[in-house]
Amino acid sequence: QVQPVESGGGLVQAGGSLRLSCAASGRTFSSYDVGWFRQAPGKEREIVAAITWNAGNTYYADSVKGRFTISRDNAKITAYLQMNSLKPEDTAVYYCATGAQGDYRSTKYYYWGQGTQVTVSS
């Protein structure tokens, strides 16, 4: 069993940066892919970025390419999402998930965090 816990959200002005962290309990975290998702009010949850268990491959949604960077430190049992050049449309609750059901770029993961709010003001 793995329980992700997100942190690092907050309020930032457009053009600013935030780094989200996903700390996971459980030694098996290092064997699992990790995905970052977000859900804005009135919209469906969407995948933002994902990384394989060994950080060998990463995936980014087109809307965040060149601005967001996903990484992980298995020794610290933590994954990160560095978000730069933030835009108001990035405002959402951001979720960390681990344990992909199939391809790491899918939206189907076994274990989900509670989410952290990111608000970007214009």
Side-chain angles (χ1 to χ4, degrees):
Q1 187 78 12
V2 179
Q3 180 58 56
V5 178
E6 305 94 340
S7 62
L11 174 64
V12 64
Q13 289 187 332
S17 298
L18 283 174
R19 188 176 80 155
L20 305 183
S21 297
C22 173
S25 62
R27 298 177 182 178
T28 53
F29 175 78
S30 61
S31 301
Y32 288 153
D33 302 332
V34 172
W36 282 98
F37 296 77
R38 66 186 181 188
Q39 187 167 20
K43 294 187 177 181
E44 293 188 354
R45 186 168 59 193
E46 62 175 355
I47 188 168
V48 174
I51 189 168
T52 53
W53 66 275
N54 61 352
N57 290 288
T58 56
Y59 165 82
Y60 297 94
D62 288 342
S63 58
V64 306
K65 279 182 182 176
R67 300 189 297 123
F68 290 11
T69 303
I70 190 171
S71 62
R72 67 188 298 162
D73 185 338
N74 285 342
K76 295 183 178 179
I77 321 178
T78 303
Y80 305 96
L81 185 67
Q82 177 67 43
M83 305 186 296
N84 299 328
S85 303
L86 283 162
K87 305 175 181 180
E89 50 264 44
D90 293 318
T91 295
V93 177
Y94 283 71
Y95 298 91
C96 173
T98 189
Q101 301 181 43
D103 192 282
Y104 75 107
R105 296 163 293 186
S106 80
T107 59
K108 296 181 179 180
Y109 276 70
Y110 283 110
Y111 308 110
W112 292 82
Q114 294 299 308
T116 185
Q117 176 70 45
V118 172
T119 303
V120 184
S121 62
S122 57

